[in-house]
Every structure is written in C-alpha cells, then in structure tokens.
Amino acid sequence: MTFKTQEDINCDVLIIGGGGAGLRAAIAASSSNIDVLMVSKTRMGHASNTFLSKAIIASSGYGDLNDSSTIHGKDTRQGGRYLNNPDMVAQFTGAIRSETKLLKKWGVKFASDENGRPAVMKVPGHSYARHLYGSNWKGSDIVLPLKQKAIESGVRFLEHIFVSALMVCGSIICGITGISQKGRFLAVRAKTIVLTTGGFGQVFLNTNNAPGITGDGHALAYAAGVPLQDMEFVQFYPTARGKHGSRILLYEKILGQKGVKLKNNNGKDILKKNGYAEPDDLTRDMLAQLIMKEILEDPEQRGTMDMDLSGLSQDAARSLAMLLPARFSKGTTVFKVTPTTHFCMGGICVDTQGQTCFPELFAAGEVTAGSHGANRLGGNALAEVIAMGALVGRAAAKRAMSLDHPVPGFNSAVQHEKKRLNAMFMDQGVLPKNLIQELKQTMWFNAGIVRDLQSLDRALETVMTSKDTKALVTTPKDLIRFLEFRNMGLVAELICRSAIERTESRGSHFRSDYPEENNQDWLKNIQAKKNHAGVMLTQVTVSGRDSVL
C-alpha cells in the first residue's frame, strides 16, 4: 500500500497532544491572536491521562495560611530527592496559584466544604493540606471546561492523526508529518511546535494510563536530536484494581482512614509488619516498593495485596462514596490491589520556558523532565500540566510571531518521510500488537518496580533483539501500531540503559543490588542523546546542589 494523496496544512503554533497540557498551552498561545492548531491521535481531551485522573491539583493558597509556594517547592524537591530543576519547580508551584483561579473562571468546579470554601486535602509528602479536587473526582471536571475554552479561543482541532516525525530542515524544525487509520497523509508546516503527548506508561504491562500513552513525544524529540533525561524514573502507583492495575484505588484518601488495612496474602498488615505506624509516612514510591516486595515473597505468586475496608466507619464511607468501588455499597469490603505504572518523571530536556535545543520546538507536561526529579508528589502532575502548559504556550506564540519566512527543504523532508513509511508495509511478519505485548511483559517483570543489573540486562537484550523483528503491516492501522511499538521500544531501551547507569536507589528507581541512596556520587541527572553509535549517556550535576541537603 502507498499513500496516494497528501494534505498540506499551515499554522503558526502546532500543539501535538490532546490532554490538559496541550489544551492549556493552546489557550495561552491563542491569546496572541495567531493561528493555533492542535493535533491528537485520539479524541481531543477525552483519551488523555488528565481525563482519567481524579482531578487533584496541588496549589498552596487555599488551605493553611502558613503555607506558600516556597514551601510547596521545598516539598516537591524533597519528594524528587533533589534531582528536580529548582527553577522549574519554583515556576509551576508559584504559577498554579493564579492558574487555579483562572480554571474556576472558565467553569472548572472544585469541591467545596460546608461553608462554601474550597475543600482541600493533604497528600503524603506535602507539608500542608493544599490539594483542590474536582467536584466529581473526575478529570473531566478540568478537561471539558478547558476544551470549551480552547474552542471559544479559536483553536483548531485535528483529531485521529498519528504524528510520524518532526520535519528537520537543516537546523530548524518546521513541521510534522501525520497519518490516519483511514490512510490520510498530512504535512503540517508550523512556525513553532509544542509537544504535549504525555508519558510512556503503556511501555509496562500494568498501567492505569490511557491506551495512547506510548512515549510518542519522547521518540519524536529523540529522533530529531533532542536529549532526554531521567528516563530511569517511573512512578508506580501502589494500589490499583484490575488484572493489570487499570483502576486506581486512591490510597492517599482511603488508607489513612481508621479501620482500613493493607494485608498480604497471609493476612498480615504490611504497614505494621514493616514498621510504619501511619500511611502518611509513605510516599508513593515507598509504598509501591513495599507492596511489590511482599508480592514477590508470596510463594503462590498471586500478584496482589488485600485492601481491607471492613473496619471503615459509616461516616467515613459516606464521605468517600465517590472514591470507593461500586461493590463496596453491595457488601464487598476486601479488594485486591496491585501496583501499576502511573507517571513518568523522565522526558524531554527543556529550559524554564519549555524550549528545547531547537528554538522552534517546545514541550510541556509529562513529556518533559525537570519538574519532579526522581519521584512526583501527589497533585503535582496537574499543577505542572496547567502551570507549565500556560507558560510554554505563551513562549511558543512569542517565538512564532518573530518568524515570518518559510523554511526551505520542508517539501523534500516530507517526501523522504513518506517513502520511509511506505517501506514499512509488509505482507508477512509478527502482528504489531503481539510485539507490543511481549515488550510490555518484558519491561514489567524485568525493569519495573524492583530492578537489578541482571534483570535490566535481560530486558535490554530483549528490547534490542525486537528491533530487528519483521512486522506484518498491511493497513494504515497496522502501520500506526507498528510505529507505536517502535516508539515504545526506543523508550524501553532508554529506561533500561539509564537504570543500569544509575548504581543507587533513589525515589521511584529501586535497585535491589544498590538499595541505598548515594548522594555523594549520584546527585546527578542522566541525559540520553542520539548519536551515530546509538545512545550516548551523560551525567549532569544538578543545579543548586549545595543548597539541597
């Protein structure tokens, strides 16, 4: 099969990704009265991790008067084990205070207390209760008002288009190519581009991420020559239901209630067993590692723990009604839970304006590195998504307005990409979905929550071998799945190489052969960049090191 037709589109700012970061960036960019186009491989807004979230945003200024964005920033850097970019932390923890006010103005409804004031909750790792949450505990509380605001702002939407490559003309990125499952081939010329494609949770077997979160933005940037950072740091949420942990059971709100216990398959309370008196003593990475160790010690390898809600009071149950599984109201009090891949701290290297090493290419949200370091605190994902989305959207618009000339070489770059894609169609080989499933299993069992050199080497060997596997690609849909597999394989390789490089345990990265945090040698970020020999890893000392410990 070949792509017989080509659609050519022009815009000022092109935003790739249809979640919270992309929508907020689009709204910000459109305020400059320029042409803003959003491209998403799924339905805009509805298939993102923001949409699937519990709509929890960490924002100081709504709770204790002693709280501040400075304290929020200190908590964030401590939670990230001091590998965060301190300037990025200061930016998003400061900006989210005014951004939440804008969200309310645009129709986002946050929960209120009995006096009509914003309700706030406290999450482990934070010094104060500073977390706002949607009135329905659903990401749609935030995404749908943002989508409506983007429409009212004149933002154009292009849905169900998979972006295959960034067009690099000389030293300038000037557009993208995209394809649809129906065989459309598009060439989009843009003055600036913002990547807001989210993380790469689907690289692992257990995940609660949206189906399309396959590391596409990471792969696009890396292929163009942009370095990635902190790829070894993947956050695993400790308590999720379903065979592969597809549904979060919000431990921060539930496990701290009197009478709730987390038990292993021998019926023992694992918090007491391991010396933790209060759930607030455990951040997500610590609890996920604790649960996974218990699972691995189970001789029957059942793969789950029990969250026992039998001691939950009726008053507490009523207050948590929207967070508890539906079966609780029908008398079920014990629920099987397992850790799941939840968030990715690693991503594209950007400055505090979200700009990459290419002046025309920006990125915001989970696709970037810097804000969260080695581990993300609860509520900081949406805080970063909204605050950095706004800042980066404005920066991309400002850059676009300074450019007014077409970049030579765009058409030839597009034709080269079309030929590359056409060459991938083959009438024999392994189904792309089977390649993806094998990759996900390999990464979960060998490069997941508990790692060591031997398991990481196994994972890397499998990942590298799979690169040469021929795939059955006979339709555009097959091609998109194969391209997703390629993106996932690249991300998996970078995770493994970075995890092997970091010979310590820190934050979400736990190596059983190096179980201790090593501040003397490892207050460093690991950056991965493409070169002629493959992947080049570089260790970069964290800025502000002297002030973090």
Side-chain angles (χ1 to χ4, degrees):
M1 176 181 171
T2 59
F3 297 101
K4 297 181 180 179
T5 60
Q6 177 177 319
E7 299 177 42
D8 296 303
I9 300 172
N10 295 302
C11 64
D12 293 318
V13 177
L14 173 65
I15 295 171
I16 303 172
L23 288 165
R24 184 63 189 95
I27 294 166
S30 66
S31 65
S32 296
N33 295 317
I34 58 176
D35 184 20
V36 179
L37 173 66
M38 289 187 71
V39 175
S40 174
K41 67 178 181 180
T42 56
R43 184 183 176 192
M44 200 66 66
H46 291 260
S48 66
N49 279 349
T50 308
F51 186 84
L52 295 180
S53 74
K54 298 294 185 183
I56 302 172
I57 300 180
S59 179
S60 61
Y62 292 91
D64 196 304
L65 293 178
N66 293 316
D67 195 10
S68 68
S69 59
T70 300
I71 298 173
H72 185 183
K74 288 181 179 179
D75 291 343
T76 298
R77 293 187 69 193
Q78 181 176 348
R81 300 312 304 145
Y82 305 108
L83 292 192
N84 325 60
N85 178 326
D87 294 329
M88 288 180 70
V89 172
Q91 283 204 143
F92 89 78
T93 57
I96 193 59
R97 293 164 66 100
S98 58
E99 283 293 321
T100 48
K101 293 178 182 178
L102 270 179
L103 292 179
K104 293 171 71 175
K105 181 180 177 181
W106 295 338
V108 173
K109 290 181 171 58
F110 292 111
S112 301
D113 62 20
E114 62 274 9
N115 298 313
R117 294 189 295 264
V120 292
M121 60 181 284
K122 188 176 184 297
V123 168
H126 290 269
S127 297
Y128 293 97
R130 60 168 68 106
H131 291 70
L132 304 172
Y133 49 94
S135 58
N136 297 305
W137 289 95
K138 294 181 178 180
S140 55
D141 292 336
I142 294 172
V143 170
L144 297 186
L146 279 177
K147 182 177 180 180
Q148 183 58 37
K149 178 63 178 177
I151 293 170
E152 293 171 358
S153 300
V155 176
R156 292 191 288 153
F157 293 164
L158 190 57
E159 300 178 320
H160 306 293
I161 298 296
F162 179 88
V163 176
S164 69
L166 298 171
M167 296 295 97
V168 183
C169 303
S171 60
I172 300 173
I173 290 181
C174 53
I176 58 101
T177 52
I179 57 177
S180 76
Q181 292 188 6
K182 295 183 179 180
R184 297 169 66 193
F185 180 88
L186 292 89
V188 182
R189 189 190 292 266
K191 294 179 180 178
T192 59
I193 297 173
V194 184
L195 291 169
T196 62
T197 51
F200 46 83
Q202 287 293 337
V203 168
F204 295 89
L205 182 65
N206 283 20
T207 183
N208 75 317
N209 281 201
I213 306 299
T214 51
D216 301 329
H218 297 74
L220 288 170
Y222 181 86
V226 180
L228 305 184
Q229 179 177 291
D230 297 337
M231 294 297 286
E232 68 271 34
F233 295 115
V234 181
Q235 183 179 75
F236 300 94
Y237 195 89
T239 54
R241 296 184 299 126
K243 183 179 179 181
H244 296 307
S246 61
R247 297 184 297 281
I248 290 293
L249 197 56
L250 199 67
Y251 90 94
E252 293 101 331
K253 192 72 174 174
I254 299 172
L255 194 55
Q257 300 291 330
K258 185 177 180 179
V260 177
K261 296 180 180 180
L262 194 58
K263 298 179 178 180
N264 62 20
N265 286 300
N266 293 321
K268 292 184 178 180
D269 184 331
I270 68 170
L271 297 191
K272 288 185 177 180
K273 174 187 172 185
N274 288 277
Y276 292 101
E278 299 291 339
D280 276 0
D281 296 335
L282 289 162
T283 53
R284 289 176 177 176
D285 56 312
M286 296 166 66
L287 185 56
Q289 290 161 18
L290 182 64
I291 293 174
M292 197 65 189
K293 288 177 185 177
E294 292 285 339
I295 288 173
L296 294 174
E297 289 173 4
D298 178 14
E300 296 184 24
Q301 292 292 295
R302 285 165 283 197
T304 58
M305 294 283 103
D306 289 336
M307 187 175 281
D308 186 348
L309 309 182
S310 57
L312 190 66
S313 70
Q314 291 184 356
D315 287 344
R318 280 193 292 269
S319 69
L320 297 172
M322 298 186 73
L323 300 179
L324 299 176
R327 286 186 289 127
F328 181 82
S329 63
K330 299 177 181 179
T332 302
T333 59
V334 178
F335 297 90
K336 298 291 182 182
V337 296
T338 188
T340 193
T341 313
H342 185 55
F343 189 88
C344 307
M345 280 70 72
I348 300 168
C349 291
V350 294
D351 64 15
T352 54
Q353 301 296 304
Q355 194 171 41
T356 70
C357 56
F358 287 92
E360 307 80 23
L361 182 65
F362 296 77
E366 193 177 349
V367 74
T368 65
S371 289
H372 307 291
N375 188 43
R376 176 184 67 83
L377 294 185
N380 273 355
L382 293 187
E384 180 204 17
V385 157
I386 300 301
M388 295 304 293
L391 186 149
V392 174
R394 288 191 292 269
K398 182 178 180 181
R399 174 68 180 173
M401 290 188 292
S402 71
L403 304 172
D404 58 5
H405 55 82
V407 177
F410 177 76
N411 291 333
S412 60
V414 168
Q415 293 309 309
H416 182 271
E417 174 62 10
K418 185 186 285 189
K419 289 180 181 178
R420 183 183 80 94
L421 296 176
N422 281 329
M424 292 183 184
F425 287 100
M426 299 190 69
D427 58 5
Q428 58 183 347
V430 182
L431 289 172
K433 67 177 183 180
N434 293 343
L435 292 172
I436 289 172
Q437 189 66 13
E438 180 184 4
L439 175 65
K440 289 165 70 74
Q441 290 178 339
T442 295
M443 291 300 291
W444 178 252
F445 291 110
N446 295 285
I449 298 171
V450 179
R451 309 161 167 174
D452 60 26
L453 178 60
Q454 187 177 14
S455 70
L456 290 166
D457 278 340
R458 278 198 306 269
L460 183 59
E461 181 180 3
T462 301
V463 168
M464 298 306 290
T465 301
S466 70
K467 282 187 173 184
D468 299 323
T469 303
K470 296 185 184 300
L472 178 66
V473 178
T474 60
T475 68
K477 183 177 180 180
D478 293 338
L479 177 59
I480 290 172
R481 290 300 280 159
F482 183 55
L483 291 170
E484 285 182 326
F485 165 72
R486 286 277 187 89
N487 291 345
M488 294 166 71
L490 169 63
V491 166
E493 178 186 353
L494 299 182
I495 293 170
C496 292
R497 292 192 185 281
S498 298
I500 290 169
E501 180 85 355
R502 183 171 293 279
T503 51
E504 66 155 356
S505 292
R506 182 179 297 267
S508 64
H509 169 68
F510 179 77
R511 281 191 55 167
S512 58
D513 50 350
Y514 292 94
E516 303 298 325
E517 185 176 276
N518 179 357
N519 289 321
Q520 181 176 345
D521 299 322
W522 279 111
L523 275 174
K524 301 173 183 177
N525 300 107
I526 297 174
Q527 294 185 357
K529 188 174 182 180
K530 178 183 177 182
N531 69 6
H532 65 280
V535 179
M536 179 177 68
L537 297 181
T538 305
Q539 297 177 16
V540 181
T541 301
V542 179
S543 61
R545 171 177 176 170
D546 293 339
S547 63
V548 299
L549 296 175

